[in-house]
Amino acid sequence: MSHPSSRLLLAAVGATALAALSVGAADASSSGRHDLAGSKASWATSAHRAGASDPATTVNFRVYLQGRDDAGAQAYAVAVSTPGSPQYRTFLTPAQYRQRFAPTASQVSAVKQWLHAQGLTVGYTPGNNRYVEAHGSLGKAATAFGTSFSQYSYAGHTLRSNDTPLSVPSTLGGVVAVIGLDDSTELVQHQTVWPAPVFVNAQPCSAYWGEKTVANTPTPDGTRLPSSPSAFAPCGYAGAQLQKAYGVNNAIASGNDGRGVTVAVIDAYASPTAAQDLETYSAAHGLPSTKGLFTQDVAPGTYNRATNKKQDPQGWAGEESLDLEAVHTTAPGANIRYVSAPNNYRDLDAALNHVVDKHSADIITNSYGYGGEALPQGYIKPQLDAQIQAATEGISVFFSSGDSGDETGGDSSVAPTPDWPASSPWVTAVGGTSLGVAQDGSRQFELGWETARSTLSGGAWTTPAYQYGSGGGTSRLFAQPAYQQGVVPDSLSRTYGGGAMRVVPDVSALGDPTTGMRVGQTQTFPDGHTAYSEYRIGGTSLASPLYAGIWALAVQKHGAYGLANPTLYAARGVSYDITKNDRAAYPGAARVDYKNGVDAAQGYVYTARWFDVDEPLTIHVRSGYDDVTGVGSPNGQAWLDAVTR
């Protein structure tokens, strides 16, 4: 089950997509103000209103500014990322980007002066002038932005939103969005399938696929299980198993291990034991020490953040451990920079902007997102701007595609949707797979990760019910990027009629928690003692850093890419095409878990986890490109040669 905090919820890339968002200013009104289009949450309806917000509440927010040449920045990002273009790999430095494309100092000055005049306190502005930070009372913010605020009940939460679109004086024409006045960012979730707040693998589980089976291994309490599925779930793959399964073990052994490349991991909060846990894990699984390779950018006070109704730093600590260990597994020589947002709200966006504007990494992996695209559109353009800047500088950005399939749960009355930011055409969306690793470490099978779960009843498995799986689907926001043209079938890209749209994901890697990765983390157990322990975990949170690590090997060999997708789609012929061919031979796994998550005191739970059960969904695995696994997963030296040619 999901962790308690995670249930919140050009013909080329670019100009068409951004124009479709309509996040600019609306027409000026007679009062000399204009509305910021896309500034009111779609969920803030009268039917959901629960009452007025407290005007004395202190709010921290950011006023985002229009770049001086957005169309030019998009065109440049496409050109430098596309093989065969005359400008291919002619990347900009952050200073060059600022000079050509960033908002101007005069825009910043005008916004600061206006905020001061409204009685609001002005804070930080990054080097690329992307936003002006400010804080003050909600009442003053309401007056400044010409609106009122209410509390709304939505998706199991009580969230604040402005009741009408935000507006600003027409003299501030460079303002495109204001982020932080509403609570939309509470819908951000880390894309990890957590078995429990504290977790220990129950036995039996296998060191490799098929080691322990229902036929050769008894259950710990004598419970008899049906003969199919026959294999007990792995305990979690690690180290050389995953390197060999994806065929990069020989490259790593020869020194093509990511050395000289920096991979940034962006998450919320920070684990105080992350560095030591990473060292302990590396020693246990034959990986080199990360001393001299691992750095952390952590805001003051982050380690002391207590768990509360809106913040869960302990839950995100496991996310951090997973991401760091996954990157180090597939790129054991790469530098890893952990960049912490002090909360899991809009500061995640600021952390991404920080890495990009400092160019402090060559690759960025992000294991979080919104459960769909239904958020205020004003939230989207600021992230797009950072992603586009990343491409112009040669930085590749990866995002997990999500862990809830098409977000319908198999309910045909629910509108299917991919998740944001994975649906952005400026990032590489990484979907999930179910992976069988043989005794010799080779890939035995790889299927699309869409899990159906059965429980034991009367000696038989109950009818399977969809549980979770790789996020994917057709965007309602973004036009089809050039790299998907001629690759993504029209039946997928034109799902909603009209022009072809962006489809998610782009690529895939191990994500199924039943065949997941073994990770290590210092955990606090129910009796109060704290200890390092290891357990199996998954989610597209795993797939993204695994893929980012493998991509670091390519960057070491080839140099920077910028947006990775044009190269990855061109290499689809040598990627491992995920199909349903292995489904009959490998239908699923039997899984044993402790009822309390940590020991046998309360007994065991027996389930069957069936692989690639996408029939209830609108997204399906098929030969070639599909909207569960994209163009497939990395496929050894042939793939590495193709992407570095």
Side-chain angles (χ1 to χ4, degrees):
M1 82 184 156
S2 296
H3 188 277
S5 72
S6 71
R7 297 307 299 164
L8 311 177
L9 175 82
L10 340 161
V13 193
T16 306
L18 276 181
L21 291 177
S22 302
V23 295
D27 292 339
S29 70
S30 58
S31 62
R33 299 178 67 88
H34 62 252
D35 290 346
L36 299 178
S39 61
K40 183 175 183 293
S42 60
W43 43 262
T45 64
S46 57
H48 291 152
R49 188 177 185 274
S53 301
D54 182 357
T57 302
T58 298
V59 287
N60 298 279
F61 59 93
R62 296 190 175 98
V63 179
Y64 280 86
L65 302 174
Q66 181 77 37
R68 69 187 75 179
D69 182 9
D70 282 355
Q74 294 168 57
Y76 196 89
V78 170
V80 296
S81 301
T82 304
S85 163
Q87 291 175 296
Y88 181 52
R89 300 183 65 205
T90 309
F91 300 118
L92 301 178
T93 65
Q96 289 170 329
Y97 177 88
R98 294 173 191 170
Q99 185 176 19
R100 291 181 62 171
F101 301 121
T104 65
S106 61
Q107 287 174 273
V108 171
S109 178
V111 169
K112 286 183 174 180
Q113 290 177 21
W114 176 72
L115 289 169
H116 276 304
Q118 303 304 306
L120 298 162
T121 302
V122 173
Y124 173 73
T125 297
N128 61 0
N129 290 338
R130 187 58 65 194
Y131 59 81
V132 177
E133 200 169 56
H135 67 271
S137 72
L138 186 63
K140 288 184 177 179
T143 299
F145 293 102
T147 189
S148 57
F149 288 87
S150 297
Q151 302 299 113
Y152 293 85
S153 297
Y154 175 74
H157 305 276
T158 300
L159 305 174
R160 182 181 66 241
S161 175
N162 42 298
D163 299 314
T164 58
L166 304 177
S167 67
V168 295
S170 297
T171 53
L172 299 181
V175 174
V176 294
V178 180
I179 309 297
L181 294 177
D182 74 9
D183 287 335
S184 287
T185 46
E186 288 193 33
L187 301 175
V188 172
Q189 58 190 4
H190 46 74
Q191 306 286 15
T192 304
V193 176
W194 295 98
V198 183
F199 186 71
V200 174
N201 285 341
Q203 294 292 332
C205 59
S206 300
Y208 55 86
W209 183 262
E211 180 205 21
K212 296 179 181 178
T213 67
V214 171
N216 69 21
T217 307
T219 61
D221 61 0
T223 297
R224 295 181 63 84
L225 301 182
S227 59
S228 180
S230 61
F232 280 111
C235 304
Y237 306 124
Q241 284 181 300
L242 289 171
Q243 294 173 5
K244 188 169 184 181
Y246 286 115
V248 294
N249 54 309
N250 290 332
I252 289 171
S254 68
N256 187 189
D257 57 0
R259 66 188 63 181
V261 179
T262 298
V263 181
V265 171
I266 296 177
D267 283 319
Y269 314 104
S271 166
T273 62
Q276 184 56 51
D277 289 348
L278 185 54
E279 282 296 287
T280 303
Y281 181 85
S282 298
H285 297 289
L287 300 170
S289 169
T290 57
K291 291 180 179 177
L293 297 177
F294 179 51
T295 57
Q296 300 184 78
D297 295 346
V298 180
T302 301
Y303 289 124
N304 301 320
R305 187 84 58 175
T307 297
N308 57 61
K309 184 172 64 174
K310 292 189 175 183
Q311 296 179 312
D312 180 26
Q314 281 70 37
W316 282 79
E319 177 65 65
E320 177 183 352
S321 296
L322 166 63
D323 292 353
L324 299 177
E325 291 162 12
V327 170
H328 190 50
T329 293
T330 50
N335 301 304
I336 304 175
R337 178 181 294 274
Y338 177 68
V339 182
S340 157
N343 55 59
N344 56 289
Y345 306 143
R346 64 194 180 282
D347 283 322
L348 286 163
D349 298 353
L352 178 67
N353 186 74
H354 172 78
V355 175
V356 170
D357 195 46
K358 300 291 185 183
H359 200 151
S360 54
D362 306 291
I363 300 166
I364 303 172
T365 176
N366 306 270
S367 294
Y368 54 87
Y370 294 82
E373 294 180 315
L375 68 159
Q377 293 181 353
Y379 276 66
I380 293 174
K381 187 178 185 301
Q383 274 214 43
L384 290 175
D385 288 337
Q387 296 160 10
I388 291 165
Q389 182 176 349
T392 68
E393 295 177 4
I395 301 170
S396 301
V397 180
F398 292 80
F399 266 94
S400 302
S401 73
D403 297 342
S404 301
D406 60 3
E407 296 291 346
T408 68
D411 184 346
S412 60
S413 68
V414 177
T417 176
D419 290 357
W420 163 264
S423 64
S424 167
W426 297 100
V427 307
T428 300
V430 187
T433 65
S434 303
L435 178 67
V437 178
Q439 185 174 6
D440 66 359
S442 62
R443 173 168 36 203
Q444 189 162 335
F445 67 87
E446 194 163 15
L447 292 160
W449 172 41
E450 300 294 354
T451 298
R453 181 178 184 270
S454 297
T455 57
L456 196 62
S457 177
W461 297 121
T462 59
T463 301
Y466 175 79
Q467 185 178 16
Y468 43 43
S470 175
T474 305
S475 173
R476 297 173 187 267
L477 300 179
F478 300 103
Q480 184 181 70
Y483 53 77
Q484 289 196 322
Q485 292 174 9
V487 179
V488 177
D490 279 356
S491 60
L492 301 183
S493 64
R494 299 180 186 273
T495 297
Y496 309 119
M501 303 296 285
R502 159 84 161 133
V503 185
V504 175
D506 299 301
V507 293
S508 55
L510 171 60
D512 186 347
T514 293
T515 65
M517 178 173 155
R518 193 175 181 93
V519 301
Q521 177 194 359
T522 298
Q523 300 187 85
T524 300
F525 289 84
D527 63 2
H529 88 280
T530 299
Y532 172 88
S533 64
E534 296 187 352
Y535 55 94
R536 174 189 60 239
I537 202 167
T540 53
S541 257
L542 168 61
S544 181
L546 283 177
Y547 208 105
I550 296 172
W551 192 243
L553 277 55
V555 173
Q556 178 192 354
K557 188 175 179 182
H558 170 274
Y561 289 85
L563 177 63
N565 293 352
T567 297
L568 290 171
Y569 277 77
R572 63 189 181 278
V574 292
S575 297
Y576 187 85
D577 185 17
I578 312 296
T579 69
K580 294 183 178 293
N581 292 344
D582 290 329
R583 190 178 177 191
Y586 305 101
R591 185 163 151 173
V592 186
D593 292 299
Y594 296 122
K595 282 186 177 179
N596 64 8
V598 295
D599 59 34
Q602 297 175 18
Y604 300 89
V605 175
Y606 295 98
T607 59
R609 308 297 175 96
W610 306 98
F611 297 151
D612 196 13
V613 182
D614 57 17
E615 287 81 0
L617 308 178
T618 61
I619 58 176
H620 304 290
V621 169
R622 67 199 73 188
S623 296
Y625 178 90
D626 64 64
D627 45 9
V628 175
T629 65
V631 297
S633 62
N635 197 22
Q637 193 62 48
W639 176 88
L640 191 57
D641 290 343
V643 298
T644 57
R645 206 167 275 138

